């Protein structure tokens, strides 16, 4: 158990204070490890906005959203390590209460598919279901079983393995596999195998006696001043129900930095953990990749891995840099859910902490994989090489399998080249993003800033077909993962043209 009165670095206090001001959040939890030692641990700001709101302590609990997915993957890998599960096992071989139905003649959905978001399952069953209460799995009363919520048959939209699609249901099903194989409720298995092993005494999947009254209230920043949101639980526990304090986040980040072990506790053997941070899915060479739920990228040329999290009223981010052995975990209690802007702010702050501890110049903390600068704006463009980029691009088959991408850009984007500059616009976004060249060896590689973020967030690469014409556009963003879009034929694009 880490001390509630942990060490503090004043400059990290300053960065977190700036994050709170920028995000409009009352409070935060922060845990920073460098060289195996806790160098910063504790709460920041206040629990709420009222005059009587107390300070945030190191044991104050925050919802960590999709960082939970990495915890679910760790739980699965404990069973893989013990031989009770195999990553290539069809999930239906282990599920007892419902089945995952693949398209005719499609491959069986495996655990590997679930942990790499390639199962063919979308975020929710269908657009028409959004009108019913609890459609996204958020409930205000008792939490129903997963089988009751999504069963008895869960149908994939596209064949497994053929398409990446960030899927809440997929990770929830992975948690159900753990439960059905062990005979122990998933939340209890994670508590015993992961949380207790690391001394994460407050951590929990959803509200519980472990959390008690330590959960700080979440706030919405859609209005000018933060407003408290109604507390809701997440039915899809394995996808995003995690709750943790600064103490807990420090222990978990330390375990990730220690390749499965931390402070005398071991969750996974290092060799097993290493499988989790190998590239298991990658759109194309040089792009960010996906391990087993972990987002794999580079920071100024150095490998990093981690995951973000968003929940109504909360945002969180976790990043680990194996060399130079730095890990940072942040959580705040306000967000303009489901906007991706606040998660971008918190990710930028975490990366800035890693960069400074690693001795990088401040401007390098948001650099691209090619290491050419925070926005790659210093590179000269190649207008001659950009011929044919103009046009409309849209998602491939599977209407609901790219939920975040649909919300961010309605499943399609428009690209225009004007006066030697490349612009990308999603629908119905209000303004365009400028694409900056990011690779001196490839005129079709770019980076862009997401709205409201100071540094590059989106990786983009265009691909030419056998005829030499541009046919595809691949995007990568920590908020919506990987997206592959195909350029519409001119006749089709003209029929679907929207005014700029």
């Amino acid at each position: 158990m880490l001390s509630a009165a942990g060490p503090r670095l004043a400059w990290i206090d300053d960065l977190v204070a700036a994050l709170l001001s920028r995000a409009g959040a009352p409070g935060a939890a922060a845990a920073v490890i460098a060289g195996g030692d806790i160098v910063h641990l504790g709460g920041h700001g206040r629990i709420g906005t009222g005059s009587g709101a107390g300070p945030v302590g190191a044991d104050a609990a925050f919802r960590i959203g999709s960082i939970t997915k990495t915890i679910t993957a760790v739980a699965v890998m404990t069973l893989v390590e013990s031989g009770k599960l195999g990553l290539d096992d069809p999930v239906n071989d282990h599920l007892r209460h419902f089945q995952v139905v693949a398209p005719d003649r499609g491959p069986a959905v495996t655990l590997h598919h679930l942990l790499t978001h390639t199962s063919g399952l979308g975020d929710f069953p269908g657009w028409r279901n959004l009108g019913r209460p609890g459609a996204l799995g958020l409930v205000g009363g008792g939490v129903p079983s997963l089988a009751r919520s999504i069963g008895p048959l869960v149908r994939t939209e596209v064949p497994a393995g053929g398409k990446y699609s960030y899927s809440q249901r997929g990770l929830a099903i992975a948690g159900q596999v753990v439960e059905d194989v062990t005979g122990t409720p998933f939340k209890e298995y994670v508590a015993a195998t992961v949380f207790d092993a690391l001394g994460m005494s407050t951590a929990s999947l959803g509200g519980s006696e472990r959390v008690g009254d330590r959960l700080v209230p979440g706030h919405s920043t859609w209005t000018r001043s933060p407003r408290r949101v109604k507390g809701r639980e997440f039915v899809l526990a394995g996808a995003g129900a995690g709750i943790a304090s600064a103490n807990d986040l420090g222990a978990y980040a330390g375990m990730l930095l220690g390749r499965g072990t931390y402070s005398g506790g071991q969750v996974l053997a290092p060799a097993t953990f290493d499988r989790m941070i190998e590239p298991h899915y990658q759109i194309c060479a040089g792009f960010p990749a996906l391990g087993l739920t972990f987002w794999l990228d580079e920071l100024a040329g150095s490998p990093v891995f981690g995951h973000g999290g968003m929940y109504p009223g909360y945002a969180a981010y976790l990043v680990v840099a194996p060399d130079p052995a730095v890990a940072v975990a942040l959580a705040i209690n306000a967000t303009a859910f489901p906007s991706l802007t606040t998660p971008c702010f918190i990710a930028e702050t975490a990366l800035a902490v890693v960069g400074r501890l690693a001795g990088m110049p401040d401007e390098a903390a948001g650099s691209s994989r090619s290491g050419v600068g925070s926005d790659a704006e210093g590179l000269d463009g190649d207008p001659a090489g950009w011929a044919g980029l103009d046009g409309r691009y849209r998602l491939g088959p599977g209407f609901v399998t790219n939920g975040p991408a649909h919300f961010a850009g309605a499943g399609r984007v428009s690209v225009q080249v004007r006066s030697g500059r490349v612009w990308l616009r999603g629908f119905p976004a209000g303004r365009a993003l400028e694409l900056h060249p990011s690779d001196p060896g490839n005129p079709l590689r770019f980076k862009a800033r997401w709205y409201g973020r100071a540094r590059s967030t989106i990786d983009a690469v265009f691909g030419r077909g056998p005829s030499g014409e541009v046919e595809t556009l691949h995007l990568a963003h920590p908020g919506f993962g990987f997206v592959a879009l195909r350029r519409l034929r001119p006749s089709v694009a003209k029929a679907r043209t929207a005014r700029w």
Side-chain angles (χ1 to χ4, degrees):
M1 177 69 179
L2 300 172
S3 169
R8 301 287 282 253
L9 292 178
W11 62 266
I12 296 180
D13 283 333
D14 294 340
L15 285 177
V16 176
L19 167 66
L20 294 180
S21 176
R22 195 177 184 192
V32 182
I33 298 174
D37 296 323
I38 291 281
V39 298
H40 188 93
L41 177 72
H44 295 254
R46 309 196 74 79
I47 291 174
T49 58
S51 58
V56 177
D59 61 348
F62 291 71
R63 294 191 181 273
I64 59 174
S66 289
I67 292 176
T68 308
K69 292 178 173 63
T70 70
I71 298 171
T72 297
V74 168
V76 169
M77 292 304 289
T78 63
L79 297 177
V80 171
E81 185 174 87
S82 66
K84 296 179 180 179
L85 285 176
L87 287 177
D88 294 325
D89 290 355
V91 296
N92 286 340
D93 290 353
H94 302 292
L95 291 171
R96 298 179 182 178
H97 305 290
F98 59 87
Q99 294 282 280
V100 179
V101 181
D104 291 342
R105 297 182 295 279
V109 174
T110 67
L111 278 167
H112 187 268
H113 290 139
L114 296 180
L115 299 184
T116 55
H117 300 289
T118 57
S119 64
L121 287 167
D123 267 338
F124 41 89
W127 295 108
R128 70 183 62 182
N129 296 325
L130 288 178
R132 65 178 178 81
L136 296 179
L138 296 167
V139 295
V143 180
S145 68
L146 187 63
R148 180 179 177 183
S149 176
I150 68 175
L153 298 178
V154 182
R155 300 184 183 276
T156 65
E157 294 183 77
V158 294
K163 178 182 179 181
Y164 169 94
S165 174
Y166 193 76
S167 177
Q168 311 291 348
R169 292 190 294 164
L171 267 297
I173 292 171
Q176 186 67 50
V177 169
V178 171
E179 179 170 318
D180 289 349
V181 167
T182 63
T184 302
F186 178 60
K187 296 180 181 181
E188 295 180 13
Y189 182 84
V190 170
T193 308
V194 181
F195 299 153
D196 289 347
L198 297 174
M200 300 169 63
S201 59
T202 304
S204 177
L205 297 186
S208 69
E209 293 182 357
R210 298 174 64 92
V211 179
D213 60 357
R214 291 188 287 271
L215 179 63
V216 302
H219 296 77
S220 172
T221 54
W222 274 113
T223 57
R224 289 189 175 183
S225 59
R227 293 186 179 182
R228 287 185 59 166
V229 299
K230 182 178 180 180
R232 294 183 182 275
E233 294 294 342
F234 197 32
V235 176
L236 309 179
I243 297 173
S245 67
N247 288 329
D248 302 325
L249 291 172
Y252 187 63
M255 182 274 289
L256 299 180
L257 195 57
R259 299 169 59 212
T261 65
Y262 181 68
S263 189
Q266 177 169 307
V267 178
L268 294 172
T272 304
F273 179 81
D274 288 347
R275 295 179 65 185
M276 300 188 68
I277 56 172
E278 296 172 353
H280 287 260
Y281 179 86
Q282 192 167 26
I283 286 178
C284 60
F287 239 46
L290 186 71
L292 298 179
T293 70
F294 286 103
W295 181 269
L296 313 180
D297 208 337
E298 290 182 1
L299 181 65
S302 297
V304 296
F305 66 89
H307 209 290
M310 183 166 60
Y311 200 95
Y314 305 85
Y317 197 79
L318 169 69
V319 60
V320 178
D323 183 12
V326 174
V328 178
L330 298 175
I332 61 177
N333 63 334
T335 186
F337 182 86
S339 167
L340 300 178
T341 300
T342 301
C344 285
F345 292 159
I346 195 170
E348 182 176 297
T349 302
L351 292 172
V353 173
V354 173
R356 189 173 297 186
L357 288 171
M360 303 174 187
D362 285 348
E363 64 270 14
S367 66
S368 67
R369 295 177 63 85
S370 58
V372 296
S374 63
D375 286 300
E377 294 183 15
L379 285 182
D380 293 330
D382 182 10
W386 297 341
L389 299 186
D390 293 71
R392 311 288 179 184
Y393 299 77
R394 70 174 303 160
L395 294 170
F399 186 48
V400 190
T401 55
N402 279 292
H406 275 288
F407 289 132
R412 56 197 172 110
V413 301
S414 177
V415 175
Q416 284 192 342
V417 180
R418 294 290 182 270
S419 302
R421 301 168 76 181
V422 183
W423 299 89
L424 178 146
R425 188 178 196 176
F427 299 96
R431 65 182 190 273
L433 300 174
E434 184 176 1
L435 299 181
H436 300 285
S438 62
D439 186 345
N442 183 356
L444 302 184
R445 286 283 304 277
F446 301 87
K447 288 187 77 72
R449 303 174 183 177
W450 186 253
Y451 307 109
R453 187 172 183 198
R455 294 181 176 169
S456 297
T457 309
I458 298 175
D459 288 275
V461 63
F462 294 86
R464 298 189 186 276
S467 66
E469 294 186 357
V470 173
E471 293 185 352
T472 59
L473 169 59
H474 291 118
L475 301 174
H477 182 287
F480 55 65
F482 306 102
V483 178
L485 303 107
R486 183 161 294 276
R487 188 165 178 253
L488 297 178
R489 297 188 308 274
S491 59
V492 176
K494 184 177 180 180
R496 296 173 176 165
T497 296
R499 297 181 65 182
W500 271 65

